[in-house]
Amino acid sequence: MVNGQADQAAPGLDEAEALRLDAAEPGHRHLFHVPPADGGRYPESAYLAGNSLGLQPRATRDELLADLDAWSRLGVEGHLAAERPWLPYHELLTAPAARLVGALPTETVVMNSLTVNLHLLMVSFYRPEGERTRIVIEDTAFPSDSYAVRSQARFHGLDPDATVVRLAPRPGEDTLRTEDVTGYLAAEGHTVALVLLGGVNYLTGELMDIPAITAAGRAAGAVVGWDLAHAAGNVPLSLHDWDVDFAAWCSYKYLNSGPGALAGVFVHERHHGNPTLPRFEGWWSTAADTRFEMTPVSRPPATVEAWQISNPPIFAMGPVRTSLELFDSVGMSALRARSLRLTGYLERLLDEVTANRPLTVITPREPRRRGCQLSVRLGEGSAAELTTRLRHEHGVIADAREPDVIRFAPVPLYSTYHDCWRVADALAATVSEVSR
């Protein structure tokens, strides 16, 4: 399977074309720190792992240091006297986060981490009763989601093996069909309490038909939530107009806010102020204008901020704010257009490389059914071993999902056409052609 390192471009892959495309459409790479290459002929990495951890915006360091300086100069007075006062700091993130996911500001808040938020939301929205107890997820859901819903079933005294329904692709296929999801909901929806799917599947890169599945789930009487870890900042979203009940997302992947960065939450406005919805509460769950009255009973606002619990961590919020401002300045429509071009170009190159090699692209070919990620399945060998060679011999950083899938994500904010060319060239140099 594995060749020695090649010094020349693979036949049929035109490096000059990639450089011409980059000259005509330079993108926004200059706004980010790109890791140096650990091998290969180029000084910078071809970084195709932003679906796992996004790169650091150049503005992040200075912005974060400014918040730290406020602490050193002002101490506790920074809550009100800092240039960006800490008490209402989280409100600086609200409007740009809402624009990013297609929501109202009152429906959006940045807090906690992704799986913590999913649990807090399921406290409110997973309410099994009678025969309506099932939770529907995809069979290739990210493990954390699987663990979360199974633990929720156990918390309610239910058998997770019987409660959690894992929808799998048809035999011989790699991705779910929308009609199979909506068909299950039409037939079995009376038993479903919660639908919780990934907006973009972490393994295959498939973009689910969020509005169609949401409509089918709600028509069946179920609550519909979405894990948007791989969708937020990757594809355009319209959560309010799609009538989604709730959603959560992380911000360390496409949102480039740093490892373990704070996450986001959406709750549709029709649920705000509903006294029948159970919620866990804390100091930040009560209305801001009464918070310092220090009363023993919470008075939650009729917004998504009622789901907040704790004092926001300012230094963790700073990088999220910086990143969201960047998305605001560039715009998701422009990023999506560039993403379609970059991913389509990478797909064309991979078609040349995989034609005679034990490699298969498992991401849907239709651009409307995917984000920027293309996943490649190896016919033999280890995904981890191959990604290690790509990095150390060619300076290409990608992401392995053992045993046999490598994920390449040409992120439109900072990836280039030349990065895509380097991926294809490195695969051609590293994976042997099949003998005929």
Side-chain angles (χ1 to χ4, degrees):
M1 173 185 176
V2 180
N3 296 324
Q5 182 174 345
D7 293 325
Q8 302 297 324
L13 300 178
D14 185 358
E15 182 176 16
E17 177 191 22
L19 295 173
R20 284 194 301 270
L21 289 169
D22 281 327
E25 185 189 330
H28 305 86
R29 189 184 187 92
H30 64 287
L31 299 176
F32 291 84
H33 292 286
V34 180
D38 182 16
R41 307 192 300 272
Y42 306 96
E44 289 185 339
S45 296
Y47 191 84
L48 278 288
N51 55 344
S52 186
L53 179 67
L55 293 182
Q56 182 188 132
R58 292 185 178 274
T60 298
R61 182 186 297 271
D62 289 344
E63 294 283 342
L64 183 55
L65 286 174
D67 288 334
L68 283 168
D69 287 345
W71 181 25
S72 69
R73 290 185 294 103
L74 299 169
V76 71
E77 298 301 323
H79 280 92
L80 296 175
E83 182 179 352
R84 292 183 287 265
W86 306 332
L87 187 64
Y89 195 106
H90 70 279
E91 297 173 7
L92 299 175
L93 287 63
T94 297
R99 286 189 287 270
L100 186 75
V101 298
L104 303 177
T106 54
E107 297 173 320
T108 313
V109 68
V110 173
M111 62 184 197
N112 306 316
S113 59
L114 172 56
T115 307
V116 169
N117 286 339
L118 287 175
H119 276 299
L120 291 175
L121 291 165
M122 283 190 281
V123 165
S124 298
F125 294 109
Y126 177 53
R127 304 175 69 184
E129 185 176 2
E131 67 175 348
R132 191 181 287 280
T133 61
R134 291 178 176 171
I135 305 173
V136 174
I137 65 173
E138 69 270 42
D139 193 41
T140 53
F142 192 76
S144 186
D145 287 11
S146 181
Y147 305 157
V149 296
R150 288 178 61 84
S151 67
Q152 285 282 333
R154 285 193 299 269
F155 181 78
H156 286 276
L158 300 169
D159 177 2
D161 291 331
T163 302
V164 177
V165 177
R166 308 182 69 91
L167 297 183
R170 297 181 184 186
E173 297 184 1
D174 294 300
T175 56
L176 275 173
R177 298 190 188 191
T178 299
E179 58 266 32
D180 289 347
V181 180
T182 58
Y184 177 86
L185 293 172
E188 300 291 336
H190 61 285
T191 69
V192 176
L194 174 64
V195 179
L196 183 59
L197 302 174
V200 173
N201 183 265
Y202 89 99
L203 183 66
T204 67
E206 178 187 16
L207 169 59
M208 305 299 291
D209 190 337
I210 298 175
I213 293 171
T214 299
R218 297 203 62 233
V223 172
V224 182
W226 291 90
D227 176 346
L228 302 176
H230 287 264
N234 182 11
V235 295
L237 299 166
S238 298
L239 300 184
H240 177 84
D241 291 344
W242 292 341
D243 226 17
V244 168
D245 286 297
F246 72 85
W249 59 93
C250 60
S251 61
Y252 51 81
K253 301 180 188 293
Y254 295 104
L255 300 187
N256 312 300
S257 300
L262 287 172
V265 161
F266 163 88
V267 175
H268 199 282
E269 65 174 348
R270 68 175 172 276
H271 298 299
H272 298 173
N274 181 352
T276 70
L277 279 179
R279 283 180 293 100
F280 289 154
E281 294 185 340
W283 194 24
W284 242 247
S285 306
T286 198
D289 59 352
T290 65
R291 187 167 293 136
F292 284 90
E293 293 177 6
M294 302 301 198
T295 58
V297 179
S298 172
R299 284 179 276 177
T303 71
V304 70
E305 291 195 355
W307 275 265
Q308 291 185 112
I309 293 180
S310 298
N311 190 351
I314 301 306
F315 304 137
M317 286 199 151
V320 183
R321 179 187 55 76
T322 301
S323 174
L324 289 174
E325 289 177 355
L326 182 57
F327 275 87
D328 254 357
S329 67
V330 177
M332 270 307 301
S333 59
L335 287 173
R336 177 60 170 169
R338 176 171 165 79
S339 177
L340 292 171
R341 293 189 294 272
L342 270 175
T343 306
Y345 175 71
L346 177 60
E347 181 182 52
R348 176 164 64 84
L349 297 181
L350 290 178
D351 283 346
E352 296 183 40
V353 173
T354 61
N356 299 311
R357 291 175 175 83
L359 302 168
T360 304
V361 177
I362 63 173
T363 306
R365 295 192 68 87
E366 304 95 322
R368 63 179 178 81
R369 294 186 57 215
R370 66 190 184 203
C372 71
Q373 172 182 316
L374 295 179
S375 297
V376 177
R377 174 165 285 138
L378 282 61
E380 56 186 71
S382 159
E385 177 188 348
L386 181 54
T387 54
T388 298
R389 290 203 59 188
L390 293 176
R391 177 185 175 189
H392 294 300
E393 296 177 13
H394 300 275
V396 172
I397 298 179
D399 183 73
R401 283 295 176 260
E402 288 285 67
D404 60 356
V405 172
I406 300 180
R407 308 182 304 167
F408 300 101
V411 176
L413 268 173
Y414 50 75
S415 297
T416 65
Y417 290 96
H418 192 248
D419 288 339
C420 296
W421 177 86
R422 287 174 62 185
V423 167
D425 184 57
L427 283 173
T430 310
V431 181
S432 300
E433 293 186 351
V434 176
S435 301
R436 295 191 181 277

